[in-house]
């Protein structure tokens, strides 16, 4: 007999929302998380753009509220990394962890993506204290201040432009002398008086006391290093989707994100992918939560279509 109706992999905004919907649909639901409840929001100081919290809410606290909501409806949680996922000939899924393997009739993978890191001294230490990977989330904390944005792609320029709504200056630090970002974003960036550029330059170290106070930059052409006073460091050097469970199972785009239908279904019946792990435009908590709800509703429809139908009398 199958252990669970629905197994969810990843307890970020998408997974927690999927768990609320799945458990509330009276499906026997288990949610696996390898690290902390909340995923990326767990390390976000204040979430100010999630509806319903006009004064903002600490990301960890919001994740705990979502967790309690899912638990209240009967979802089970297992703090175990899922090591493998396999669709059995019966149509059930084998979900392997270091604990005994379980089976589930439907699986929703919401394992998210991890921001690529620079790997320089100070980066980890000052994350949440001046180092950020999300302009939309954190720009308001740098109102009137001076920040750098690392990277030259669409994310760096798009988010950099957003940050100029708050910061006094945004200096793009890019390792080459041309941007990778799309032409329209480049035009806007070059026309924006608050945007500045440091070409052929990399960050060597992030330094400060309680918060970020300065960065050490190195010019790759001249080899010169320089320490620059700064209030914030936004890093946008790409994301790596946590797709190891999906490789060879579902179709991935060039960036490694799962290609799903509007209902979050993949090419594998009963397997759904939601949140940052899927191909999409917006990578926000609210859109992840929306994805999670959609995936759980679709999983419920899938299960209902495959439920053994009780005999009707009369
Ligand atoms: P991306 O396009 O891969 O750009 C990453 C940038 O970071 C590149 O400029 C790269 O430099 C730089 N970089 C990478 N590793 C680095 C390192 N170790 N040190 C310093 N710099 C480093 O990533 P993205 O900007 O996050 O975009 C990802 C995808 O989402 C893209 O397809 C993009 O078009 C899309 N997106 C679209 C929008 C939009 O249309 N508004 C907004 C955001 C994202 P090089 O250029 O030298 O390689």
């Amino acid at each position: 007999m199958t252990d669970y109706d629905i197994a969810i992999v990843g307890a970020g905004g998408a997974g927690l929302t999927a768990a609320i919907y799945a458990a509330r649909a009276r499906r026997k639901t288990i949610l696996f998380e390898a690290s902390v409840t909340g995923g990326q929001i767990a390390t976000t100081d204040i979430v100010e753009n999630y509806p319903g919290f006009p004064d903002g809410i600490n990301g960890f606290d919001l994740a705990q509220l979502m967790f309690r909501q899912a638990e209240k409806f009967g979802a089970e949680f297992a703090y175990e990394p899922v090591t493998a996922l396999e669709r059995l000939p019966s149509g059930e899924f084998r979900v392997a962890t270091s604990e005994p393997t379980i089976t589930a009739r439907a699986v929703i993978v919401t394992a998210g993506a991890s921001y690529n890191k620079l790997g320089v001294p100070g980066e980890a230490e000052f994350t949440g204290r001046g180092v950020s990977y999300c302009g939309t989330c954190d720009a308001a904390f740098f109102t009137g201040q001076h920040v750098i944005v690392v990277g030259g792609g669409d994310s760096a320029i798009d988010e950099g432009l957003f940050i100029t709504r708050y910061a006094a200056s945004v200096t793009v630090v890019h390792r080459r002398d041309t941007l990778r970002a799309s032409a329209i974003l480049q035009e806007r960036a070059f026309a924006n008086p608050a945007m500045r550029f440091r070409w052929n330059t990399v960050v060597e170290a992030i330094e400060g006391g309680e918060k970020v106070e300065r960065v050490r930059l190195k010019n790759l052409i001249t080899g010169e290093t320089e320490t620059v006073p700064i209030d914030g460091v936004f890093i946008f050097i790409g994301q790596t989707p946590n797709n190891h469970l999906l490789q060879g199972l579902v179709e991935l785009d060039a960036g490694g994100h799962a290609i799903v239908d509007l209902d979050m279904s993949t090419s594998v019946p009963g397997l759904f992918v939601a949140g940052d792990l899927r191909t999409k435009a917006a990578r926000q908590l609210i859109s992840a939560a929306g994805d999670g709800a959609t995936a759980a509703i679709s999983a419920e429809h899938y299960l209902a279509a495959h439920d053994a139908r009780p005999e009707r009398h009369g």
Side-chain angles (χ1 to χ4, degrees):
M1 204 183 100
T2 322
D3 300 314
Y4 291 90
D5 292 318
I6 300 177
I8 301 165
V9 184
L16 288 165
T17 307
I20 292 167
Y21 274 75
R24 202 163 171 276
R26 297 278 182 256
R27 292 296 181 180
K28 194 176 180 207
T29 301
I30 186 164
L31 193 155
F32 291 95
E33 169 56 50
S35 165
V36 294
T37 307
Q40 288 179 17
I41 58 160
T43 54
T44 304
D45 186 21
I46 298 181
V47 178
E48 285 186 322
N49 53 8
Y50 194 78
F53 300 96
D55 300 322
I57 180 167
N58 173 269
F60 183 83
D61 293 345
L62 178 57
Q64 290 304 311
L65 290 172
M66 292 180 175
F67 170 85
R68 274 177 41 204
Q69 201 169 347
E71 206 177 33
K72 184 179 99 177
F73 291 117
E76 295 175 35
F77 286 77
Y79 287 89
E80 284 288 331
V82 172
T83 51
L85 186 61
E86 183 191 355
R87 191 168 192 267
L88 302 170
S90 62
E92 296 168 341
F93 291 88
R94 193 179 72 86
V95 182
T97 72
S98 58
E99 291 293 302
T101 290
I102 62 113
T103 53
R105 295 174 59 205
V107 172
I108 304 172
V109 181
T110 59
S114 304
Y115 295 115
N116 292 343
K117 306 287 190 300
L118 283 173
V120 298
E123 181 180 15
E125 181 189 345
F126 289 108
T127 294
R129 297 190 292 130
V131 171
S132 170
Y133 300 87
C134 180
T136 318
C137 318
D138 295 334
F141 301 120
F142 296 88
T143 301
Q145 299 186 352
H146 301 275
V147 305
I148 64 165
V149 156
V150 186
D154 279 333
S155 294
I157 303 309
D158 202 19
E159 300 258 344
L161 285 165
F162 180 83
I163 298 165
T164 62
R165 297 184 196 181
Y166 297 91
S169 76
V170 173
T171 302
V172 176
V173 174
H174 185 37
R175 63 184 178 183
R176 294 187 294 126
D177 63 357
T178 49
L179 297 173
R180 178 183 294 277
S182 57
I184 185 108
L185 285 176
Q186 293 199 33
E187 280 167 25
R188 285 184 200 147
F190 293 141
N192 187 316
M195 294 282 277
R196 293 156 198 183
F197 298 87
R198 288 265 192 157
W199 304 110
N200 302 306
T201 301
V202 292
V203 174
E204 278 202 330
I206 301 166
E207 299 166 348
E210 277 297 300
K211 293 187 161 197
V212 167
E213 292 171 5
R214 48 194 183 273
V215 279
R216 196 166 75 236
L217 302 179
K218 179 177 183 181
N219 185 304
L220 294 174
I221 305 290
T222 63
E224 283 172 15
T225 59
E226 184 186 354
T227 298
V228 178
I230 208 76
D231 301 304
V233 179
F234 285 86
I235 300 167
F236 302 111
I237 57 167
Q239 287 193 7
T240 303
N242 300 319
N243 63 13
H244 66 282
L245 293 177
L246 303 178
Q247 289 171 17
L249 203 56
V250 307
E251 198 183 343
L252 304 174
D253 69 13
H257 302 92
I259 296 173
V260 299
D261 222 325
L262 285 176
D263 64 356
M264 307 298 143
S265 61
T266 68
S267 48
V268 178
L271 179 59
F272 303 84
V273 178
D276 282 359
L277 183 49
R278 78 168 180 98
T279 298
K280 65 192 303 200
R283 301 195 177 278
Q284 295 290 302
L285 173 59
I286 185 68
S287 51
D291 274 11
T294 303
I297 291 167
S298 302
E300 164 58 22
H301 289 165
Y302 170 82
L303 292 177
H306 293 81
D307 278 342
R309 294 180 197 280
E311 271 185 47
R312 288 171 59 169
H313 301 283

